[in-house]
């Protein structure tokens, strides 16, 4: 493979994307494909520190534009330290969330505007858009039931009200309409095995096209 491939996984809370993302990464390694796995916000030390600031439940006073800028800052650091070197080395980068999270959560759900959030992210990512994005579509109530059922501590964004999570879903739908070539929708209400199978098929087809 001459150039790497950048594949991102997107979805609302409890969409199951993280589980599937890790499955795909391990499956690619088993197939002998040189891949790395990372996640946003975070993925490297500086970005993980920013993640803690954004998601801390103590930070209820955070302004929505501050939040959008922090996500973009975390993305920039992660891009420079992890994503670009891996792509330049010809690897497949599997990333749990990227720019579309900011467009859906900050752009639409926080009412900043998708175009405005795209603008600050353009500065952060310098044209490095994903080659393929899988959007894990599940209805909001089912997703939230899944995360509350896990018994894990909920972060500042998980704790937003139901209306916010519905707006996130609506935002994702708008982003999917904007980028139909890049973003493929997966029915994440199916069994984990079926979701993994659907996701793997799309990923491997895209990798084969790149060879
Ligand atoms: P996670 O739960 O997938 O680890 O993501 C952390 C939270 O951050 C999740 O509620 C989605 C949110 N988020 C944004 O609002 N904007 C972004 O750009 C990213 C990457 C995540």
């Amino acid at each position: 493979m001459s150039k790497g491939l950048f594949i991102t996984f997107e979805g609302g809370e409890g969409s199951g994307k993280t589980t599937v993302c890790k499955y795909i990464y391990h499956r690619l390694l088993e197939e002998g494909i040189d891949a790395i796995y990372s996640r946003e916000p975070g993925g490297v030390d500086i970005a993980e520190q920013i993640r803690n600031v954004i998601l801390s439940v103590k930070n209820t006073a955070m302004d929505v534009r501050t939040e959008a800028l922090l996500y973009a800052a975390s993305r920039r650091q992660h891009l420079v330290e992890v994503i670009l070197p891996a792509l330049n080395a010809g690897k497949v980068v599997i990333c749990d969330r990227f720019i579309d999270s900011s467009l859906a959560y900050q752009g639409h759900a926080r009412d900043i505007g998708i175009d405005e959030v795209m603008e600050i992210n353009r500065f952060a990512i310098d044209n490095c858009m994903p080659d393929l994005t899988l959007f894990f579509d599940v209805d909001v109530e089912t997703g939230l039931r899944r995360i509350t059922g896990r018994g894990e501590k909920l972060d500042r964004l998980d704790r937003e009200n139901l209306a916010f999570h519905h707006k996130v879903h609506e935002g994702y739908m708008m982003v999917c309409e904007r980028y139909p070539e890049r973003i493929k929708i997966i029915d994440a209400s199916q069994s984990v095995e079926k979701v993994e199978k659907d996701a793997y098929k799309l990923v491997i087809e895209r990798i084969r096209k790149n060879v």
Side-chain angles (χ1 to χ4, degrees), residues 10-13 17-18 39-42 51 54-55 67-68 71-72 74-75 96-106 110 121 150 155-158 164-165 168 172:
E10 293 282 354
E13 314 306 329
K17 66 176 170 42
T18 301
R39 70 149 184 191
E40 286 205 354
R51 176 188 174 97
I54 304 173
L55 297 180
E67 181 183 285
Y71 276 115
S74 144
R75 178 158 304 127
D96 189 345
R97 295 194 184 280
F98 192 64
I99 189 166
D100 301 303
S101 288
S102 283
L103 301 181
Y105 281 78
Q106 283 67 52
R110 294 288 199 213
N121 274 276
R150 277 179 204 153
D155 65 39
R156 194 171 61 82
L157 273 88
D158 295 331
F164 175 82
H165 292 291
V168 169
Y172 268 124

Side-chain angles (χ1 to χ4, degrees), residues 161-180:
N161 63 23
L162 188 59
F164 175 82
H165 292 291
H166 273 287
K167 279 199 86 174
V168 169
H169 188 264
E170 201 175 81
Y172 268 124
M173 286 298 144
M174 293 162 79
V175 175
C176 288
E177 261 176 45
R178 255 185 205 226
Y179 302 104

